[in-house]
């Protein structure tokens, strides 16, 4: 035995100077998620600047269709110009707040709506998934509708939701315009949850289902003790998708319904400055990107809390 | 040593002295075009407190028969009654504990929480649940692994957790499908002795599937020898051994009482009888361990 192992250790000793140690250190650093995110942001900025430097001034078109964007300062301002612009006041008016503060305020408003939409979407998606798991009939009837629902264009939906909402009588509560936006966001958010959670609820092995059956566990007990824990690995990516969808849905619905205060309206307003102040329209877009990253980060934290449900059994 | 065994008078179960009563049971899988007859005309009665082993070539329907008793599958003909009622009632009343051919542990639960599962489902309090789980984990030699998760355990260790889980609720009927298949000889013998002890203590009836003739003979009051497809009961071998020594826990895995028994003349004779029964009918003893 010892003679058999000796050559391998010798070979390892010869071929392993400092290189593996350094590689290990890089690998360890790359496991620090936030650091990777910052590096990725810099990579995107570098790509932007590289294209701006090397790409054709007037872009590149095939007939009428422009396939590559223009690289002029108006179309693609320098990343550092955008960063500098964030620190300057929003407008020339006296006492105007800094651009980044305005973006932050609009972002907070959108974030609140997106979170509400996400929560509603997750709740609706979860209820749908559980009902579909419980009743085969519901699954075959509702699942196609769920898929179909996502083909309705958001822009068409927004005015409808707004007019329905304004006609709603909710007792003491009057329908607020932001609620329409939250509903539209939830419309995008429920889909991945319904589909992902259904798959998760259906994922337990026969042996586990039979184990619960053997111990006389009813549907509810099986759901709580087996199906929900087993659904977690499928649910987490669904929740992350739902978060991203909620952010996109919120911003687009803000644009479509013209709700003031959020990032969507800001994007609309600042678009007018594309010629006079090119970096300015990019500020709310950056805000929307940051909001999306924040949402994904929050779901990742949730995933960390649920990590014990992500274990898998090795085949025995 | 080879005296005629006195069956201990089984403790009266609230619903009758027979644990399992199978009459004319058959199970046919598949459609009308290509039916697979897994079981045909099986009659078997297991008294309360009795230990019955099922042995037979691979694919002869042992697991299927066990699943009928567990009400995880229904016979296509005949009846299965458990403790005087339907198999379904017994299942809903949590009358039996079961260990499948695979361990089937829940990956997100710790080893201890897996053992506690039947107790949790029965609504047992936290403290007594924990106490019972620790006791069983000590028995299967996994005390140090109580806080581990199943993916951190070897296949044999997972199997031992599954055995502990089956015993957790002190069921009056134990259904075990090759529970010791993945274990080494020492652990296997230790657990065999422990199982005999537990059955003597709790007066539990056991239906035990195995591929090992010595194991079947060592453990059982009766060994049911099955024939390959269609699965039928070919012969029932009565085993009469004095297990008074083997059932008491010895000093270690190799307790002398068990070793004595395994060299006993009655033991050897019963092994020979089961082996002859398995060979009978001309078909080879496929998948059967003939040690
Ligand atoms: N769900 C099923 N559908 C169709 N056929 C089945 C099913 N379950 C079992 N069978 C068939 O029934 C027969 C008996 O299977 P069973 O699992 O009971 O065998 P076994 O005696 O437990 O074998 P082993 O010792 O290998 O575990 C086999 O021929 C198998 O193909
Ligand atoms: Mg089997």
């Amino acid at each position: 035995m010892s003679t058999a192992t000796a050559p391998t250790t010798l070979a390892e000793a010869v071929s392993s100077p400092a290189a593996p140690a350094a590689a290990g250190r890089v690998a360890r650093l790359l496991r620090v998620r936030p650091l990777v995110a910052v590096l990725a942001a810099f990579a995107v900025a570098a790509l932007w600047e590289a294209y701006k430097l090397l790409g054709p001034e007037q872009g590149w078109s095939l007939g009428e269709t422009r396939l590559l964007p223009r690289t002029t300062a108006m179309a693609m301002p320098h990343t550092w110009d955008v960063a500098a612009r964030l620190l300057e006041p929003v407008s020339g008016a006296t006492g105007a707040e800094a651009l980044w503060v305005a973006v932050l305020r609009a972002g907070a408003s959108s974030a609140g709506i997106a979170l509400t939409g996400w929560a509603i979407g997750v709740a609706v998606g979860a209820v749908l998934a559980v009902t579909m798991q419980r009743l085969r009939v519901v699954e075959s009837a509702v699942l196609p509708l769920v898929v179909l629902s996502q083909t309705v264009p958001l822009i068409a939906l927004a005015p409808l939701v707004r007019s329905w909402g304004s006609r709603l009588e909710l007792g003491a509560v009057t329908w607020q315009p932001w609620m329409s936006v939250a509903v539209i966001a939830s419309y995008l958010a429920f889909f991945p949850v319904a589909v992902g959670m259904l798959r998760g609820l259906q994922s337990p092995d026969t042996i586990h289902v039979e184990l619960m059956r053997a111990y006389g566990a009813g549907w509810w007990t099986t759901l709580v003790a087996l199906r929900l824990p087993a659904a977690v690995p499928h649910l987490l990516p669904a929740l992350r998708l739902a978060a991203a969808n909620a952010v996109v849905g919120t911003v687009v619905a803000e644009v479509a319904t013209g709700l003031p205060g959020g990032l969507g309206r800001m994007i609309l307003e600042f678009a007018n400055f594309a010629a006079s102040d090119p970096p300015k329209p990019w500020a709310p877009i950056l805000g929307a990107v940051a909001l999306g990253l924040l949402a994904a980060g929050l779901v990742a934290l949730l995933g960390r809390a649920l990590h014990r449900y992500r274990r898998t059994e090795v085949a025995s | 040593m080879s005296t005629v065994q006195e069956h201990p008078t089984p403790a009266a179960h609230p619903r009758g002295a027979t644990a399992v009563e199978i009459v004319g049971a058959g199970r046919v899988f598949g459609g009308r075009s290509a039916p697979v007859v897994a079981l045909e005309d099986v009659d078997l009665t297991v008294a309360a407190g009795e230990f019955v082993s099922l042995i037979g070539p691979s694919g002869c329907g042992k697991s299927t028969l066990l699943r009928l008793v567990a009400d995880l599958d229904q016979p296509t003909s005949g009846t299965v009654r458990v403790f005087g009622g339907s198999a379904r009632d017994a299942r809903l009343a949590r009358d039996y504990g079961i260990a499948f051919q695979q361990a089937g542990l829940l990956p997100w639960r710790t080893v201890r929480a897996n053992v506690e599962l039947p107790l949790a489902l029965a609504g047992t309090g936290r403290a007594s649940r924990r106490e019972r789980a620790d006791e069983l984990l000590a028995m299967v030699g996994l005390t140090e692994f109580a806080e581990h998760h199943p993916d951190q355990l070897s296949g044999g260790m997972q199997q031992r957790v599954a055995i502990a889980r089956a015993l957790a609720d002190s069921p009056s009927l134990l259904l075990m499908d090759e529970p010791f298949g993945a274990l080494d000889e020492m652990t296997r013998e230790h657990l065999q002795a422990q199982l005999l002890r537990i059955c003597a203590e709790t007066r539990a009836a056991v239906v035990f599937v195995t591929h090992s003739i010595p194991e079947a003979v060592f453990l059982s009051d009766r060994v049911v020898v099955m024939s390959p497809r269609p699965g039928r009961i070919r012969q029932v071998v009565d085993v009469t051994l004095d297990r008074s020594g083997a059932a008491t826990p010895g000093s270690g895995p190799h307790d002398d009482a068990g070793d004595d028994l395994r060299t006993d003349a009655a033991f050897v004779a019963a092994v020979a009888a089961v082996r002859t029964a398995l060979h009978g009918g001309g078909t080879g003893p496929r998948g059967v361990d003939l040690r």
Side-chain angles (χ1 to χ4, degrees):
Chain A
M1 274 302 247
S2 55
T3 48
T5 50
T8 44
T9 43
L10 197 67
E12 275 167 19
V14 169
S15 70
S16 63
R25 211 172 305 136
V26 171
R28 217 169 312 128
L29 273 178
L30 283 181
R31 239 172 286 148
V32 185
R33 282 285 197 66
L35 192 73
V36 176
V38 170
L39 283 179
F42 272 109
V44 170
L47 216 62
W48 176 280
E49 291 299 336
Y51 177 73
K52 195 170 153 54
L53 193 70
L54 302 172
E57 178 93 354
Q58 288 307 316
W60 188 69
S61 316
L62 199 67
E64 290 289 291
T65 331
R66 191 187 302 282
L67 294 178
L68 289 176
R70 278 191 285 243
T71 57
T72 52
M74 206 198 280
M76 283 180 79
H78 278 294
T79 43
W80 46 85
D81 286 341
V82 177
R85 182 65 187 83
L86 280 173
L87 302 175
E88 291 161 17
V90 180
S91 63
T94 44
E97 59 190 356
L99 181 58
W100 70 270
V101 177
V103 169
L104 204 66
R105 177 166 302 141
S109 160
S110 292
I113 299 173
L115 187 66
T116 314
W118 181 78
I120 298 172
V122 168
V124 170
V127 169
L128 271 176
V130 169
T131 327
M132 285 192 281
Q133 190 279 318
R134 179 82 172 99
L135 298 166
R136 254 300 137 67
V137 196
V138 177
E139 186 191 335
S140 41
V142 173
L143 196 54
L145 291 182
V146 168
V147 176
L148 208 65
S149 74
Q150 298 304 298
T151 62
V152 178
L154 210 56
I155 300 295
L157 198 69
L160 281 181
V161 172
R162 200 173 49 168
S163 69
W164 286 333
S166 59
R167 262 180 265 143
L168 267 184
E169 297 285 337
L170 293 171
V173 189
T174 49
W175 188 261
Q176 306 279 329
W178 71 267
M179 292 179 182
S180 301
V181 175
V183 166
I184 293 165
S186 73
Y187 187 81
L188 285 195
F190 92 96
F191 176 71
V193 177
V195 173
M197 190 165 169
L198 176 64
R199 285 206 59 191
L201 291 175
Q202 291 173 337
S203 68
D205 297 334
T206 320
I207 190 169
H208 291 143
V209 176
E210 291 194 336
L211 180 77
M212 301 304 286
R213 222 174 108 78
Y215 284 106
W219 174 78
W220 177 252
T221 315
T222 308
L223 179 72
V224 173
L226 175 64
R227 293 196 187 275
L228 284 178
V232 169
H234 297 259
L235 193 57
L236 287 175
L239 289 180
R240 189 154 50 228
L241 259 180
N245 281 2
V247 170
V248 171
T250 300
V251 173
V252 173
E254 279 172 350
V255 172
T257 64
L259 181 78
L263 286 171
R265 180 65 173 267
M266 193 180 243
I267 290 172
L268 211 59
E269 281 170 4
F270 285 11
N272 300 328
F273 295 89
S276 59
D277 192 358
K280 193 171 172 181
W282 289 97
I285 293 174
L286 277 182
V289 170
L291 190 56
L293 290 178
L294 181 77
L298 287 179
V299 176
L301 280 185
L302 194 68
R304 199 163 277 196
L306 293 173
H307 81 278
R308 78 182 172 119
Y309 294 107
R310 300 166 79 181
R311 284 176 174 276
T312 45
E313 188 184 22
V314 288
S316 62
Chain B
M1 271 297 225
S2 59
T3 51
V4 176
Q5 196 200 352
E6 298 148 349
H7 277 273
T9 39
H13 189 273
R15 282 189 276 126
T18 357
V20 181
E21 192 180 10
I22 303 168
V23 182
R27 180 68 172 95
V28 182
F29 287 109
R32 232 164 281 157
S33 51
V36 176
V37 184
L39 287 175
E40 196 172 75
D41 200 24
V42 172
D43 294 301
L44 180 65
T45 305
V46 180
E50 194 183 17
F51 200 120
V52 172
S53 286
L54 304 179
I55 197 165
S58 177
C60 73
K62 304 181 294 294
S63 297
T64 305
L65 187 56
L66 212 62
R67 289 168 56 82
L68 294 186
V69 177
D71 188 44
L72 296 174
D73 193 4
Q74 281 73 42
T76 39
S77 60
T79 57
V80 177
R81 301 184 71 73
V82 180
F83 291 119
S86 69
R88 184 184 144 81
D89 290 342
R91 174 173 67 79
L92 292 179
R94 286 185 279 268
D95 272 342
Y96 66 78
I98 190 164
F100 296 102
Q101 210 161 345
Q102 289 91 33
L105 306 177
L106 298 180
W108 53 86
R109 284 181 165 246
T110 61
V111 164
R112 180 188 280 118
N114 264 290
V115 175
E116 284 181 6
L117 181 71
L119 299 166
L121 292 176
T124 312
R126 186 180 290 254
S128 50
R129 221 158 64 195
R130 196 188 162 95
E131 190 185 336
R132 178 78 180 136
D134 286 344
E135 189 182 312
L136 286 165
L137 285 176
M139 190 200 85
V140 297
L142 290 174
T143 302
E144 303 133 77
F145 294 91
E147 297 307 326
H148 284 57
H149 281 84
D151 58 339
Q152 298 167 307
L153 265 52
S154 75
M157 290 157 94
Q158 292 182 24
Q159 197 70 48
R160 279 187 275 163
V161 179
I163 294 165
R165 180 177 64 188
L167 296 169
D169 212 0
S170 305
S172 35
L173 172 63
L174 265 171
L175 305 175
M176 309 187 100
D177 198 345
E178 293 182 48
F180 303 153
L183 303 180
D184 65 282
E185 202 63 24
M186 294 247 286
T187 317
R188 185 187 258 248
E189 284 179 12
H190 168 65
L191 287 178
Q192 285 169 358
Q194 295 294 319
L195 183 59
L196 279 182
R197 177 180 64 81
I198 287 170
C199 293
E201 275 173 20
T202 63
R203 296 279 162 82
V206 187
V207 182
F208 189 94
V209 175
T210 177
H211 276 173
S212 156
I213 299 176
E215 179 170 89
V217 171
F218 178 72
L219 291 172
S220 319
D221 299 315
R222 285 191 293 151
V223 179
V224 175
V225 181
M226 295 179 67
S227 67
R229 267 168 290 158
R232 293 164 183 265
I233 294 183
R234 179 177 285 163
Q235 197 176 327
V236 179
V237 178
D238 281 294
V239 184
T240 47
L241 299 173
D242 177 15
R243 289 196 189 77
S244 52
T248 53
S251 49
H254 270 304
D255 48 288
D256 294 340
D259 278 356
D260 281 355
L261 202 57
R262 282 173 227 271
T263 54
D264 187 78
F267 180 82
V268 176
V271 167
V274 173
R275 185 166 301 166
T276 315
L278 268 172
H279 280 266
T283 42
R286 274 172 286 155
V288 175
D289 182 358
L290 287 178
R291 280 169 302 165

